[in-house]
Protein backbone atom coordinates (compact mmCIF):
# COMPACT_ATOMS: atom_id res chain seq x y z
CA UNK A 1 0.00 0.00 0.00
CA UNK A 2 1.33 3.44 -0.95
CA UNK A 3 1.58 6.42 1.38
CA UNK A 4 -1.25 8.22 -0.38
CA UNK A 5 -3.62 5.31 -0.84
CA UNK A 6 -6.96 5.66 0.92
CA UNK A 7 -7.34 4.10 4.38
CA UNK A 8 -10.66 2.92 5.79
CA UNK A 9 -10.23 2.08 9.48
CA UNK A 10 -13.34 3.42 11.18
CA UNK A 11 -17.02 2.59 11.16
CA UNK A 12 -18.19 6.06 10.18
CA UNK A 13 -16.25 6.06 6.88
CA UNK A 14 -18.55 4.55 4.27
CA UNK A 15 -16.52 5.65 1.26
CA UNK A 16 -13.84 8.05 -0.04
CA UNK A 17 -13.98 11.81 0.36
CA UNK A 18 -12.85 14.51 2.77
CA UNK A 19 -16.15 14.52 4.68
CA UNK A 20 -16.81 10.78 4.77
CA UNK A 21 -16.15 10.89 8.55
CA UNK A 22 -17.91 14.10 9.64
CA UNK A 23 -18.16 13.30 13.37
CA UNK A 24 -14.65 11.88 13.54
CA UNK A 25 -13.35 14.99 11.77
CA UNK A 26 -15.29 17.72 13.58
CA UNK A 27 -14.77 16.34 17.10
CA UNK A 28 -11.06 17.02 16.74
CA UNK A 29 -11.93 20.65 17.38
CA UNK A 30 -12.29 19.59 21.02
CA UNK A 31 -8.52 19.10 21.24
CA UNK A 32 -7.87 22.56 19.83
CA UNK A 33 -10.41 24.25 22.12
CA UNK A 34 -9.06 22.51 25.23
CA UNK A 35 -5.52 23.39 24.15
CA UNK A 36 -6.46 27.08 23.91
CA UNK A 37 -7.99 27.02 27.40
CA UNK A 38 -4.93 25.31 28.89
CA UNK A 39 -2.58 27.68 27.06
CA UNK A 40 -4.20 30.61 28.86
CA UNK A 41 -4.25 28.82 32.21
CA UNK A 42 -0.61 27.79 31.95
CA UNK A 43 0.97 31.23 31.77
CA UNK A 44 4.36 31.14 33.50
CA UNK A 45 4.67 27.33 33.28
CA UNK A 46 6.59 26.64 30.05
CA UNK A 47 6.27 22.85 30.09
CA UNK A 48 2.49 23.03 30.53
CA UNK A 49 2.31 25.48 27.63
CA UNK A 50 4.39 23.10 25.50
CA UNK A 51 1.88 20.35 26.32
CA UNK A 52 -0.97 22.64 25.26
CA UNK A 53 0.74 23.24 21.92
CA UNK A 54 1.16 19.51 21.33
CA UNK A 55 -2.46 18.94 22.37
CA UNK A 56 -3.55 21.36 19.66
CA UNK A 57 -1.32 19.51 17.19
CA UNK A 58 -3.08 16.26 18.13
CA UNK A 59 -6.40 17.78 17.05
CA UNK A 60 -4.97 19.12 13.80
CA UNK A 61 -3.18 15.86 12.94
CA UNK A 62 -6.17 13.69 13.78
CA UNK A 63 -8.47 16.00 11.84
CA UNK A 64 -6.20 15.64 8.82
CA UNK A 65 -6.24 11.86 9.10
CA UNK A 66 -10.02 11.64 9.39
CA UNK A 67 -10.48 13.81 6.28
CA UNK A 68 -7.61 12.90 3.94
CA UNK A 69 -7.52 9.34 5.33
CA UNK A 70 -4.26 7.95 3.96
CA UNK A 71 -1.10 6.48 5.46
CA UNK A 72 0.81 9.76 5.14
CA UNK A 73 -1.86 11.54 7.16
CA UNK A 74 -1.70 8.80 9.79
CA UNK A 75 1.81 10.01 10.65
CA UNK A 76 0.35 13.44 11.42
CA UNK A 77 -2.23 11.66 13.56
CA UNK A 78 0.07 9.40 15.58
CA UNK A 79 3.15 11.65 15.80
CA UNK A 80 1.71 14.33 18.12
CA UNK A 81 0.16 11.65 20.35
CA UNK A 82 3.56 10.02 20.86
CA UNK A 83 5.13 13.45 21.39
CA UNK A 84 2.58 14.28 24.09
CA UNK A 85 3.17 10.99 25.91
CA UNK A 86 6.95 11.46 25.92
CA UNK A 87 6.74 15.13 26.89
CA UNK A 88 4.38 14.39 29.77
CA UNK A 89 6.51 11.45 30.90
CA UNK A 90 9.57 13.68 31.05
CA UNK A 91 7.72 16.45 32.90
CA UNK A 92 6.02 14.06 35.32
CA UNK A 93 9.29 12.35 36.21
CA UNK A 94 11.18 15.60 36.66
CA UNK A 95 8.54 17.86 38.19
CA UNK A 96 5.97 15.58 39.81
CA UNK A 97 8.38 12.98 41.20
CA UNK A 98 11.21 15.47 41.67
CA UNK A 99 13.71 13.24 39.87
CA UNK A 100 16.94 14.65 38.40
CA UNK A 101 17.13 15.50 34.72
CA UNK A 102 18.98 12.31 33.75
CA UNK A 103 16.29 10.12 35.30
CA UNK A 104 13.58 12.03 33.44
CA UNK A 105 15.48 11.47 30.19
CA UNK A 106 15.96 7.79 31.05
CA UNK A 107 12.21 7.43 31.66
CA UNK A 108 11.54 8.78 28.16
CA UNK A 109 14.04 6.36 26.63
CA UNK A 110 12.57 3.46 28.60
CA UNK A 111 9.07 4.12 27.29
CA UNK A 112 9.64 2.40 23.95
CA UNK A 113 10.73 -0.98 25.38
CA UNK A 114 8.07 -0.67 28.10
CA UNK A 115 5.35 -0.06 25.52
CA UNK A 116 6.60 -2.92 23.36
CA UNK A 117 6.58 -5.43 26.23
CA UNK A 118 3.22 -4.28 27.55
CA UNK A 119 1.82 -4.31 24.02
CA UNK A 120 2.74 -8.00 23.71
CA UNK A 121 1.21 -8.65 27.13
CA UNK A 122 -2.10 -6.98 26.27
CA UNK A 123 -2.18 -8.72 22.89
CA UNK A 124 -1.98 -12.04 24.75
CA UNK A 125 -4.47 -11.33 27.55
CA UNK A 126 -6.87 -9.00 25.71
CA UNK A 127 -6.67 -9.69 21.95
CA UNK A 128 -10.13 -8.16 21.57
CA UNK A 129 -8.53 -4.74 22.04
CA UNK A 130 -7.35 -4.90 18.43
CA UNK A 131 -5.45 -1.80 17.34
CA UNK A 132 -6.28 -0.15 20.69
CA UNK A 133 -3.68 -2.41 22.29
CA UNK A 134 -1.09 0.23 21.38
CA UNK A 135 -2.70 2.64 23.86
CA UNK A 136 -3.28 0.15 26.70
CA UNK A 137 0.18 0.57 28.32
CA UNK A 138 -0.44 4.30 28.88
CA UNK A 139 -3.14 4.20 31.61
CA UNK A 140 -1.08 1.53 33.38
CA UNK A 141 1.92 3.86 33.39
CA UNK A 142 -0.16 6.79 34.62
CA UNK A 143 -1.52 4.56 37.37
CA UNK A 144 2.03 3.65 38.38
CA UNK A 145 2.96 7.34 38.73
CA UNK A 146 -0.19 7.86 40.79
CA UNK A 147 0.95 5.00 43.05
CA UNK A 148 4.39 6.60 43.46
CA UNK A 149 2.73 9.82 44.62
CA UNK A 150 0.00 8.15 46.62
CA UNK A 151 -2.00 10.06 49.23
CA UNK A 152 -1.69 13.38 47.44
CA UNK A 153 -4.05 15.48 45.36
CA UNK A 154 -1.74 15.03 42.36
CA UNK A 155 -1.93 11.23 42.69
CA UNK A 156 -5.70 11.37 42.75
CA UNK A 157 -5.66 13.58 39.67
CA UNK A 158 -3.40 11.12 37.83
CA UNK A 159 -5.61 8.21 38.86
CA UNK A 160 -8.67 9.98 37.46
CA UNK A 161 -6.82 10.58 34.20
CA UNK A 162 -5.84 6.91 33.98
CA UNK A 163 -9.44 5.82 34.59
CA UNK A 164 -10.85 8.16 31.94
CA UNK A 165 -8.27 6.95 29.42
CA UNK A 166 -9.09 3.31 30.18
CA UNK A 167 -12.78 3.96 29.49
CA UNK A 168 -11.84 5.89 26.36
CA UNK A 169 -9.78 2.95 25.06
CA UNK A 170 -12.73 0.61 25.56
CA UNK A 171 -14.95 3.01 23.61
CA UNK A 172 -12.38 3.16 20.79
CA UNK A 173 -12.28 -0.63 20.71
CA UNK A 174 -16.07 -0.79 20.37
CA UNK A 175 -16.04 1.18 17.09
CA UNK A 176 -15.88 -1.90 14.87
CA UNK A 177 -18.00 -4.37 16.88
CA UNK A 178 -20.83 -1.84 17.28
CA UNK A 179 -20.78 -0.69 13.65
CA UNK A 180 -23.82 -2.76 12.71
CA UNK A 181 -26.06 -1.13 15.30
CA UNK A 182 -24.37 2.28 15.47
CA UNK A 183 -23.52 3.43 11.92
CA UNK A 184 -21.58 6.50 13.08
CA UNK A 185 -19.40 4.28 15.28
CA UNK A 186 -17.84 5.27 18.60
CA UNK A 187 -14.52 6.75 17.52
CA UNK A 188 -15.78 10.32 17.82
CA UNK A 189 -16.44 9.69 21.54
CA UNK A 190 -12.79 8.62 21.86
CA UNK A 191 -11.85 12.06 20.55
CA UNK A 192 -14.08 13.89 23.02
CA UNK A 193 -12.98 11.86 26.03
CA UNK A 194 -9.31 12.12 25.08
CA UNK A 195 -9.53 15.89 24.68
CA UNK A 196 -11.02 16.02 28.18
CA UNK A 197 -8.50 13.55 29.60
CA UNK A 198 -5.40 15.18 28.09
CA UNK A 199 -6.57 18.62 29.17
CA UNK A 200 -7.13 17.20 32.66
CA UNK A 201 -3.61 15.76 32.70
CA UNK A 202 -2.13 19.14 31.79
CA UNK A 203 -4.20 20.77 34.50
CA UNK A 204 -3.01 18.22 37.10
CA UNK A 205 0.57 19.02 36.14
CA UNK A 206 -0.07 22.78 36.12
CA UNK A 207 -1.67 22.79 39.57
CA UNK A 208 1.16 20.73 41.02
CA UNK A 209 3.91 22.96 39.60
CA UNK A 210 2.06 26.13 40.57
CA UNK A 211 1.67 24.79 44.11
CA UNK A 212 5.37 24.01 44.33
CA UNK A 213 6.20 27.51 43.12
CA UNK A 214 3.99 29.10 45.77
CA UNK A 215 5.42 26.85 48.47
CA UNK A 216 8.94 27.79 47.43
CA UNK A 217 8.15 31.50 47.60
CA UNK A 218 6.55 31.08 51.02
CA UNK A 219 9.60 29.19 52.30
CA UNK A 220 11.88 31.98 51.15
CA UNK A 221 9.74 34.47 53.06
Amino acid sequence: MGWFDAVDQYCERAGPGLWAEPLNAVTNLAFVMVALVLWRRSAGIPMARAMAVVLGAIGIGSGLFHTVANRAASVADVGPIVAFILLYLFAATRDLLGAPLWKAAAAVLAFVPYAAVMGVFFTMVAPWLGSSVAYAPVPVLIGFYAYLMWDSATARGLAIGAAVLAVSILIRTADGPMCGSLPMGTHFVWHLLNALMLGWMIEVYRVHVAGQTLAGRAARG
Side-chain angles (χ1 to χ4, degrees):
M1 179 181 287
W3 281 103
F4 299 102
D5 291 341
V7 174
D8 183 359
Q9 294 184 351
Y10 302 103
C11 178
E12 190 183 16
R13 179 165 288 274
L18 289 177
W19 291 106
E21 299 179 52
L23 285 176
N24 288 348
V26 171
T27 48
N28 285 294
L29 290 173
F31 292 102
V32 177
M33 289 188 292
V34 172
L36 290 173
V37 171
L38 268 300
W39 172 268
R40 290 194 294 268
R41 290 181 62 81
S42 299
I45 305 177
M47 188 63 76
R49 282 207 149 175
M51 293 176 193
V53 170
V54 180
L55 179 57
I58 290 174
I60 294 170
S62 181
L64 181 65
F65 180 54
H66 288 290
T67 50
V68 176
N70 58 38
R71 288 182 63 201
S74 71
V75 176
D77 178 35
V78 175
I81 296 173
V82 174
F84 188 95
I85 292 171
L86 297 180
L87 181 63
Y88 200 97
L89 181 57
F90 178 87
T93 305
R94 186 191 68 177
D95 301 326
L96 302 188
L97 299 184
L101 187 63
W102 72 267
K103 285 189 177 181
V108 171
L109 293 175
F111 178 78
V112 173
Y114 160 77
V117 171
M118 290 298 290
V120 172
F121 171 76
F122 278 110
T123 299
M124 293 173 59
V125 301
W128 47 268
L129 282 171
S131 62
S132 296
V133 75
Y135 296 99
V138 180
V140 176
L141 185 59
I142 297 172
F144 177 66
Y145 272 63
Y147 168 77
L148 293 177
M149 302 186 69
W150 196 245
D151 199 24
S152 69
T154 301
R156 290 188 288 274
L158 293 175
I160 290 170
V164 173
L165 180 56
V167 171
S168 186
I169 289 171
L170 293 177
I171 289 173
R172 183 184 191 277
T173 304
D175 184 69
M178 293 188 66
C179 196
S181 56
L182 199 64
M184 74 286 294
T186 62
H187 195 77
F188 72 98
V189 183
W190 154 264
H191 289 164
L192 296 174
L193 278 181
N194 274 8
L196 173 67
M197 176 266 175
L198 294 176
W200 171 260
M201 294 295 289
I202 297 173
E203 180 68 4
V204 169
Y205 172 83
R206 185 196 70 80
V207 170
H208 181 92
V209 173
Q212 285 187 321
T213 302
L214 289 175
R217 290 174 181 171
R220 291 192 297 269

